[in-house]
Amino acid sequence: MPNKVTEVSLTSEDLQRALPQMDSRMIRMVPDSFFNEPFMAGSYGKAPDGSWSMDVPREVTLYEQATDLRGYVRDTCQQVHRVLQEADRNFTGGEPAPVTPLDKVLHLSASRTALLVWLWHQKQQQSPGDPMPNVMDVLSDDGLSVDQGVQFTEAEIDRASAHLEQNGLIKGAGVMDQMAGPIFAEITPRGEDCVENYKGDISAYIRRKDDGPVTFHITNNSGNIAANSTGFTQNAVTQGGFDPAQILAAATLVQQLAPALTPDIDEQQGLLAQVGDLEEAATASEPEPGVIRRIASGLMSTIRGLAHSPDVQRLALEAVEQSIQNL
């Protein structure tokens, strides 16, 4: 009849044909194992030989976009959320209960902390030689994958991974296509320090160097570069023009400040290579002021691109700039 609603059922034979690789013993266990799941909430009958037939409720269509376990859990959570909202409306006489909007700033910060803390725990459980964890596996941790009642997305974890790597808190094994951060990573000693002494508060850990005067202990400094605080004044005075010692002193300072300018090893090596070029030009048998100035300008350009610590950056720039002011 055209007005009759067609009932859909699933049998053990149907499931076995669709999944021939599945053990028949597992097929027989399906009704008992999944009876309380929303997508199999219909009534069922079981035969003595273990075969069964189960009614498939219309609600199964709500899960047609779920192609894996993570998608199924996501869609189930959405359905539960809708049921709770409906219950709130019934309880409040038809008016929807007020919903606290998601604080996106806190959510962003929480995603970074969650990933860092999760990687800290992975480090404690790992043995030497174990592969780096997949950062997306944090989404399987019920205690760390949710903030303000909302689960982090893969895109949010990817951005958190990139942020942590850029600040030297994790070390990755390369970035895959279409991703901002490493998919495989492990926590670094800096990251462990952040978790253990700053409770995973990344912002507080990064700001820690800016809370007071910045003091640098410079060894083998033959020039008159003062590096004792954030409010410093450089007094690079030369007598009678070009002074190689002044340039070498500035180069030594930049070498020692390199780890504070950037936690990235490749960037440090690139910076030190430029410093080496500057030292070589300054100690040539016949130093060429034009060449020295060109190299120093390139070095300052690189330093300006390293914004990890503004105070250290300013100190390094002023040292280099004033060492060549008489060229």
Side-chain angles (χ1 to χ4, degrees), residues 230-297:
T230 58
F232 60 85
T233 300
Q234 298 289 358
N235 296 307
V237 179
T238 59
Q239 302 293 328
F242 172 65
D243 184 359
Q246 193 66 45
I247 295 175
L248 293 176
T252 299
L253 177 63
V254 175
Q255 285 177 330
Q256 297 184 28
L257 294 181
L261 284 166
T262 173
D264 186 278
I265 299 301
D266 290 338
E267 291 182 345
Q268 289 183 28
Q269 292 177 344
L271 180 69
L272 294 177
Q274 288 181 286
V275 170
D277 291 341
L278 182 61
E279 289 178 324
E280 183 178 350
T283 56
S285 56
E286 295 184 6
E288 299 182 27
V291 173
I292 294 174
R293 180 170 289 280
R294 176 174 53 79
I295 295 174
S297 296

Side-chain angles (χ1 to χ4, degrees), residues 12-143:
S12 53
E13 290 80 6
D14 294 333
L15 188 58
Q16 187 71 75
R17 281 194 297 272
L19 301 171
Q21 73 277 15
M22 191 171 182
D23 192 303
S24 59
R25 292 170 297 180
M26 296 294 294
I27 296 286
R28 290 195 292 271
M29 294 171 59
V30 166
D32 293 330
S33 301
F34 296 97
F35 181 69
N36 291 319
E37 295 296 330
F39 72 96
M40 281 190 173
S43 60
Y44 73 95
K46 213 169 183 183
D49 64 355
S51 62
W52 48 264
S53 177
M54 174 180 291
D55 294 335
V56 180
R58 183 179 301 175
E59 287 75 16
V60 72
T61 59
L62 298 172
Y63 301 88
E64 60 184 345
Q65 301 300 323
T67 58
D68 54 21
L69 180 59
R70 182 175 293 166
Y72 169 65
V73 172
R74 178 198 63 224
D75 290 353
T76 299
C77 290
Q78 291 175 348
Q79 299 309 318
V80 171
H81 186 62
R82 291 193 185 98
V83 171
L84 292 176
Q85 284 185 321
E86 183 64 27
D88 286 337
R89 283 194 291 270
N90 293 336
F91 182 76
T92 57
E95 291 295 329
V99 178
T100 303
L102 178 70
D103 188 320
K104 294 183 179 180
V105 174
L106 291 180
H107 193 66
L108 174 67
S109 177
S111 69
R112 297 168 177 172
T113 296
L115 179 56
L116 186 65
V117 171
W118 183 80
L119 287 172
W120 183 91
H121 285 292
Q122 302 311 302
K123 183 69 171 289
Q124 313 315 308
Q125 300 169 10
Q126 283 184 310
S127 300
D130 285 351
M132 290 183 177
N134 186 322
V135 299
M136 293 303 167
D137 286 345
V138 67
L139 296 173
S140 301
D141 189 315
D142 294 337

